[in-house]
Amino acid sequence: MTDTDTRNSTSGADGGDAVVSAFNAVGADYIFCSSGSEWAPVWESLARRHRDGEPAPKYLDLTHETVAVGMATGYGLVTRRPQGVLLHAAPGLLQGSMAVHGALLAGVPMVVASSESTTYGDGPGQDPGGQWYRNLSIVGGPHGIAQPFTKWSNEVGSVHTLPTMITRAAELAWRAPAGPAYLNIPLEILLEEWDGREAKPIVPPGSTHSSPEEADTVARMIREAANPVIVTETSGREAGGFEALIAFAEAWNIPVVEPDSAVCGNFPRTHPLHAGSDIGPWMDEADLILLVNCRAPFYPPSRRPSKARIVVIDEVPQRPHVVYQVLFADRYLEGNVANTLRQLTKRAKDLDEAAVAVRRTAQQERHTAERTAIGRAEAKAQEAEGIDPVLVAATLRRLLDGHDAIVVDETITHSRVVKRHVETSRPDSYFYVQGGLGQGIAVALGVKLAAGQRPVVLTIGDGAFAYNPVIQSYDAASAYDLPLLIVIFNNRVYKSMNLNHRRFYPEGAAAETGEWLGTDLHRLPRLAAFAEPFGMHTETVDAPDALAPALERALKAVADGTTAVVDVLVTR
């Protein structure tokens, strides 16, 4: 017990007040909650604080666990700061687990909490309710369930340690590799009287740095290389990483490859040094490969470059949540990525101008060839009979030009098309939804919550759309004034599944009979229609000439504050 001068003078404070106080200390802007009966103490604390004008994070009442976690993920992608997420018991955690795992893969800090009873009605104090004894509790506790898909998972043992446990969870979640931390907060602790001991506010993590000697060694390797290449998946996820990578690549005149596994915008796709998404040609040609925040550059993992030395630039190169990871590193620069790139940029001196001129010419040829290929693909799509996916992406690019939009992508078959033809070119302007399908709308809502007036566009396949909690997501969009443009690439099939069936069994029974199971989505109703009860703008487009006008109307609706859903019937 602490001295009385450190206690909160408010009488009747309980564990719910401790939770709200702790999230204040964490600096959480929001508590994203998919309601559970254990959170009444938190709701009471918030109601009291609202009544009395006391500070509290903003509270979002959400009707599905994936929506709650997904919105926290989207918000964290932009702000890079931990928020609070409250789910219901083990069932709520299980329902939201895919999205929590997605946050782990995306490197988004958050504190996720749910609850269990520990007395099942046989202890003193308020009756927790029979549902815990009969239905909700799970052997080992929900923190045991959460352990494999969170960065850290634990149970709160006392109301007196509750605030500091939350701040500890937030500090762990925020530090590299950032990700979700989980706390099981028993209901009895939430209802227990709290003495008011508040947790100290947390501050951003300090930055780590490689030594000057290590940076000098890598700079010498770059200076000696005739044909270096940068490969990156997530450098743009780091604060300042997008800008630092541009400066680094330009200073040394090194091409940048964003492989298909890239999950955010890392480098302007229109930049002359952007070398596309195929690392293949570099496997035999490059003599130095710089892996910048690139967790899994080679596939299959045993596919080793024939002659290149490999430098890994990453704050946490060996991702603890990746089951199998092969980097073939010859040297590591471990520390804050943006800072490391800045240090290497300063060392771009005494270059071999003849060698630089050769690789500059080669990259100009590659860049020109890529721009020509993009133009041809778009011209071909323009002349196609129906709506080619390339036409959708290119039309979006044209209409979004100059609007500082953010694209959130949850397509599978069309993800390469979206990246290649939408061509995002600014920091925090493209995010790919990670983990299992079904989170896209929620993540886009969270991005919109953080992005303010910036337009947010979700590109999504019809199969992925069907996995989403659509009604609950639309409810959140309406309730919290978060207008999105949702563009559905609707080919009426689970195309990736069908392609795998054909790849594994090209001459099998299905190919002979035409019985392709697990893929047909023609039976789904008009996908835009689900938005109509919410008063949202809806369009279904099946003709090329109608595409641009439909998207223009939809963007106007979004600018006016209404979510718009455009279901585009594409040809492939």
Side-chain angles (χ1 to χ4, degrees):
M1 191 71 68
T2 61
D3 295 334
T4 56
D5 61 353
T6 66
R7 299 179 189 176
N8 191 327
S9 61
T10 303
S11 61
D14 60 15
D17 296 287
V19 169
V20 176
S21 174
F23 278 120
N24 269 334
V26 166
D29 302 316
Y30 290 93
I31 294 176
F32 301 84
C33 182
S34 176
S35 300
S37 55
E38 66 265 46
W39 297 118
V42 170
W43 299 331
E44 180 63 20
S45 175
L46 288 169
R48 180 181 58 77
R49 287 168 182 260
H50 295 159
R51 181 197 66 191
D52 297 343
E54 297 177 1
K58 296 175 183 176
Y59 176 86
L60 299 184
D61 235 336
L62 305 164
T63 54
H64 196 281
E65 291 83 356
T66 298
V67 177
V69 181
M71 287 185 65
T73 298
Y75 191 83
L77 284 170
V78 177
T79 67
R80 301 176 175 87
R81 291 184 288 104
Q83 306 299 312
V85 179
L86 305 182
L87 305 178
H88 176 43
L93 176 63
L94 288 168
Q95 183 72 45
S97 60
M98 178 185 66
V100 178
H101 181 242
L104 180 69
L105 297 180
V108 173
M110 63 179 68
V111 178
V112 181
S114 68
S115 183
E116 272 205 12
S117 173
T118 54
T119 64
Y120 310 108
D122 276 343
Q126 297 191 56
D127 180 8
Q131 72 272 22
W132 302 97
Y133 179 57
R134 300 185 185 98
N135 299 318
L136 293 179
S137 296
I138 191 163
V139 174
H143 49 292
I145 295 173
Q147 190 276 328
F149 53 82
T150 56
K151 184 179 175 183
W152 181 80
S153 178
N154 213 331
E155 181 178 48
V156 176
S158 165
V159 71
H160 306 298
T161 60
L162 171 56
T164 305
M165 285 288 277
I166 290 176
T167 55
R168 170 168 165 73
E171 288 180 324
L172 283 166
W174 206 352
R175 277 152 180 79
Y182 172 80
L183 282 175
N184 172 22
I185 309 175
L187 176 56
E188 287 80 357
I189 288 177
L190 289 170
L191 291 168
E192 189 175 344
E193 183 178 348
W194 175 51
D195 62 14
R197 283 178 287 183
E198 296 189 6
K200 182 180 182 297
I202 66 172
V203 296
S207 60
T208 56
H209 305 274
S210 292
S211 70
E213 293 78 13
E214 291 170 315
D216 287 340
T217 299
V218 171
R220 184 168 58 251
M221 294 172 69
I222 301 173
R223 196 173 291 112
E224 294 171 352
N227 195 20
V229 64
I230 297 164
V231 184
T232 182
E233 291 177 332
T234 62
S235 57
R237 187 178 65 194
E238 311 299 330
F242 192 96
E243 299 88 341
L245 184 59
I246 295 173
F248 171 60
E250 289 179 344
W252 290 93
N253 215 287
I254 304 175
V256 177
V257 173
E258 287 186 286
D260 290 333
S261 52
V263 294
C264 63
N266 303 291
F267 196 80
R269 296 191 74 87
T270 55
H271 194 288
L273 286 173
H274 197 287
S277 60
D278 185 8
I279 194 176
W282 300 93
M283 298 298 284
D284 295 324
E285 298 174 7
D287 56 357
L288 179 66
I289 296 177
L290 299 150
L291 300 179
V292 181
N293 262 31
C294 198
R295 62 205 161 149
F298 312 117
Y299 190 82
S302 59
R303 186 190 182 197
R304 186 173 192 145
S306 60
K307 61 182 179 181
R309 290 191 295 175
I310 296 173
V311 174
V312 175
I313 300 173
D314 201 318
E315 190 162 11
V316 186
Q318 297 296 337
R319 300 286 200 274
H321 62 267
V322 175
V323 176
Y324 184 59
Q325 187 181 17
V326 181
L327 298 175
F328 297 121
D330 294 291
R331 186 164 293 275
Y332 289 101
L333 283 182
E334 298 183 44
N336 178 270
V337 169
N339 179 72
T340 301
L341 294 175
R342 293 187 194 108
Q343 295 307 311
L344 291 173
T345 299
K346 293 177 181 177
R347 289 165 168 77
K349 302 172 183 177
D350 303 321
L351 306 186
D352 184 339
E353 294 301 332
V356 169
V358 169
R359 68 173 178 255
R360 181 186 296 118
T361 299
Q363 174 56 23
Q364 287 173 344
E365 293 174 355
R366 279 188 293 266
H367 186 72
T368 300
E370 172 66 3
R371 303 311 303 171
T372 300
I374 288 174
R376 286 175 179 167
E378 293 182 2
K380 181 180 178 182
Q382 191 72 46
E383 298 168 0
E385 190 76 20
I387 302 178
D388 190 276
V390 169
L391 180 63
V392 183
T395 303
L396 276 174
R397 181 189 70 237
R398 177 174 61 81
L399 295 177
L400 295 176
D401 185 38
H403 291 278
D404 194 22
I406 303 174
V407 175
V408 177
D409 187 24
E410 197 179 29
T411 62
I412 298 294
T413 304
H414 303 115
S415 61
R416 294 182 182 89
V417 169
V418 171
K419 288 179 183 176
R420 191 184 193 202
H421 294 276
V422 174
E423 292 185 338
T424 54
S425 59
R426 294 173 59 85
D428 293 337
S429 59
Y430 171 83
F431 299 104
Y432 189 79
V433 178
Q434 297 186 67
L437 294 174
Q439 309 169 60
I441 307 178
V443 172
L445 287 170
V447 168
K448 179 61 180 176
L449 186 66
Q453 296 304 308
R454 293 180 68 183
V456 176
V457 180
L458 172 67
T459 52
I460 186 169
D462 52 325
F465 182 87
Y467 284 127
N468 273 257
V470 174
I471 301 303
Q472 298 91 332
S473 298
Y474 287 168
D475 171 66
S478 296
Y480 297 107
D481 192 22
L482 300 170
L484 305 174
L485 170 57
I486 300 174
V487 180
I488 305 171
F489 286 66
N490 189 347
N491 57 9
R492 283 81 73 203
V493 65
Y494 281 122
K495 191 70 173 181
S496 62
M497 303 175 192
N498 183 256
L499 290 174
N500 263 359
H501 192 161
R502 293 174 185 271
R503 180 164 64 95
F504 295 143
Y505 302 98
E507 298 178 3
E512 180 183 344
T513 64
E515 186 182 11
W516 301 107
L517 300 175
T519 65
D520 187 12
L521 294 178
H522 281 86
R523 65 179 181 269
L524 293 180
R526 289 191 306 115
L527 299 183
F530 292 98
E532 292 173 359
F534 293 90
M536 296 173 174
H537 180 92
T538 63
E539 304 254 6
T540 300
V541 186
D542 61 2
D545 292 345
L547 177 63
L551 290 174
E552 288 173 346
R553 290 190 294 270
L555 282 168
K556 183 180 185 305
V558 172
D560 291 339
T562 302
T563 290
V565 183
V566 182
D567 184 13
V568 185
L569 308 184
V570 294
T571 55
R572 59 185 176 94

